[in-house]
Amino acid sequence: MAPPAKERWCLALIIVLLSLFVQSSTAIYCGEDDCYALLGVAQDANASDIKRSYYKLSLEHHPDKNPDPESKKLFVKIATAYEILKDNETRSQYDYAIEHPSEVFYNTAQYYRAKYGHKSDPRAVLVGLLVVLSAFQYLNNVARYNEALATVKRTPAYKNRLKALELERTGGVSSKKKGPKQIDQKLQEELSNELDLQIKGAEKPSVWDLLGVRFVLLPYTIIKLLVWYSSWVWRYKVKKAPYSWEDASYLTRRSLGVPLDAWTNLDEYKKEDLVQRRLWEKQNLENYYAEMRKESKRRR
């Protein structure tokens, strides 16, 4: 069964576009001409022969000396061919394209890499990439934070806190005629500042969290980590000193997989109980989980 007319037209269009895009491997260098033939040299010609031939032909076809329009076009082609063959890397890639005409995409990539890649300082490219990514990161963080803050301000809890703060500032005197939108703007800003740390998943944007800044500070971060690890090994592995409260809390939190903010919100009695259990030791952790499972079954 023949495909519909519309599909035949689409297929024909795709074939035409591919034929335009997938040109021969050598056409991207000197068009349909042979770079060596344009300079009148053999493929194994040395650099001196190529240079000598170029100067001879360029003088002959230079627009100032030869007003013929066709000669001007030939002069441009000769200059292009010389640019290709005078550079050893580009010439090597052109020779490879002649010998491997079927590798169209590889030859095309090599051509553009040689043409534009060496003109760009990798350090400048890296810096530019970090700046662009950091800018997008910061704008995204600002947008997420503002959206989260706006969502919080629409909640009843926020409005109740705002009303309570107004009563606190005014000594318990508040006008009943005031609505939420009429509350003093300064009080709203103060309450917003108090709520900043309560918005999870959308922390207030900071330049210290940007990818570019972290990359710049990476050596310092690595050194700091090595110093901390060396101090840890010396204090607790070599000297066998007892864990400090901060380090024991860190080990407990890591063993339980509890985020820092969740650990901070625990009451002090619960923290002390967990730390005293020494949950960073495997057997103690298993016993703790067994107790939690028994307690869960008992409550059911």
Side-chain angles (χ1 to χ4, degrees):
M1 181 177 179
K6 184 177 181 180
E7 293 186 6
R8 290 200 302 269
W9 275 107
C10 291
L11 182 60
L13 180 61
I14 292 173
I15 294 175
V16 171
L17 291 175
L18 287 176
S19 64
L20 292 174
F21 176 75
V22 184
Q23 52 185 331
S24 65
S25 296
T26 56
I28 55 177
Y29 290 91
C30 294
E32 297 300 326
D33 299 303
D34 184 292
C35 295
Y36 290 104
L38 285 171
L39 294 179
V41 296
Q43 188 172 345
D44 58 352
N46 57 40
S48 299
D49 293 338
I50 292 175
K51 187 175 183 180
R52 188 182 308 111
S53 179
Y54 165 69
Y55 282 132
K56 178 182 178 181
L57 293 172
S58 62
L59 289 174
E60 179 181 348
H61 297 282
H62 197 281
D64 293 340
K65 295 187 176 182
N66 194 333
D68 185 5
E70 293 299 324
S71 184
K72 182 179 179 180
K73 294 180 182 178
L74 183 57
F75 174 79
V76 174
K77 292 183 178 181
I78 291 171
T80 301
Y82 180 66
E83 288 296 320
I84 297 297
L85 300 181
K86 74 174 184 178
D87 183 78
N88 291 333
E89 182 180 0
T90 310
R91 180 182 180 184
S92 176
Q93 292 170 1
Y94 177 64
D95 291 341
Y96 183 90
I98 293 175
E99 298 173 1
H100 304 84
S102 60
E103 300 180 16
V104 179
F105 293 105
Y106 173 78
N107 291 327
T108 303
Q110 289 294 92
Y111 168 76
Y112 286 109
R113 185 187 69 82
K115 185 175 182 180
Y116 299 107
H118 68 280
K119 297 180 181 179
S120 303
D121 189 341
R123 293 169 296 183
V125 173
L126 178 60
V127 171
L129 181 62
L130 289 174
V131 170
V132 172
L133 291 178
S134 298
F136 276 112
Q137 180 187 5
Y138 185 78
L139 293 175
N140 179 63
N141 291 345
V142 170
R144 289 177 62 247
Y145 176 75
N146 289 337
E147 182 179 355
L149 195 60
T151 302
V152 169
K153 289 182 177 181
R154 290 193 295 266
T155 61
Y158 174 87
K159 296 176 181 179
N160 292 336
R161 286 286 306 279
L162 193 62
K163 192 69 175 178
L165 186 59
E166 182 198 18
L167 293 173
E168 180 183 342
R169 295 289 189 272
T170 59
V173 179
S174 176
S175 174
K176 295 182 179 180
K177 295 182 179 180
K178 283 187 176 182
K181 295 183 179 179
Q182 297 174 306
I183 297 177
D184 187 77
Q185 185 67 25
K186 185 177 180 180
L187 292 181
Q188 291 191 29
E189 294 177 358
E190 292 178 2
L191 183 55
S192 297
N193 293 334
E194 293 180 14
L195 291 174
D196 284 349
L197 298 178
Q198 301 179 22
I199 302 176
K200 297 180 180 180
E203 291 73 16
K204 192 171 184 179
S206 171
V207 294
W208 300 106
D209 296 328
L210 297 180
L211 180 63
V213 176
R214 289 189 174 187
F215 182 82
V216 172
L217 296 178
L218 183 60
Y220 167 76
T221 304
I222 294 175
I223 293 174
K224 185 178 179 181
L225 181 61
L226 291 175
V227 171
W228 174 85
Y229 182 75
S230 301
S231 175
W232 182 283
V233 171
W234 172 255
R235 186 184 308 166
Y236 300 125
K237 302 297 183 181
V238 178
K239 298 181 66 177
K240 304 295 183 181
Y243 291 114
S244 65
W245 170 259
E246 291 78 9
D247 293 337
S249 299
Y250 164 74
L251 290 173
T252 304
R253 182 167 58 83
R254 189 182 67 173
S255 300
L256 294 173
V258 178
L260 179 59
D261 55 348
W263 176 264
T264 305
N265 293 331
L266 289 177
D267 60 80
E268 295 302 321
Y269 174 79
K270 182 65 174 179
K271 290 181 185 178
E272 185 175 356
D273 176 62
L274 292 173
V275 170
Q276 289 179 351
R277 288 173 177 269
R278 299 178 65 86
L279 298 179
W280 55 87
E281 297 178 3
K282 184 177 180 181
Q283 187 60 47
N284 294 342
L285 183 63
E286 292 177 354
N287 294 337
Y288 173 75
Y289 282 139
E291 290 180 15
M292 293 297 101
R293 286 192 291 269
K294 289 180 181 180
E295 181 66 18
S296 177
K297 290 181 180 179
R298 186 184 65 81
R299 292 180 178 178
R300 291 177 184 174

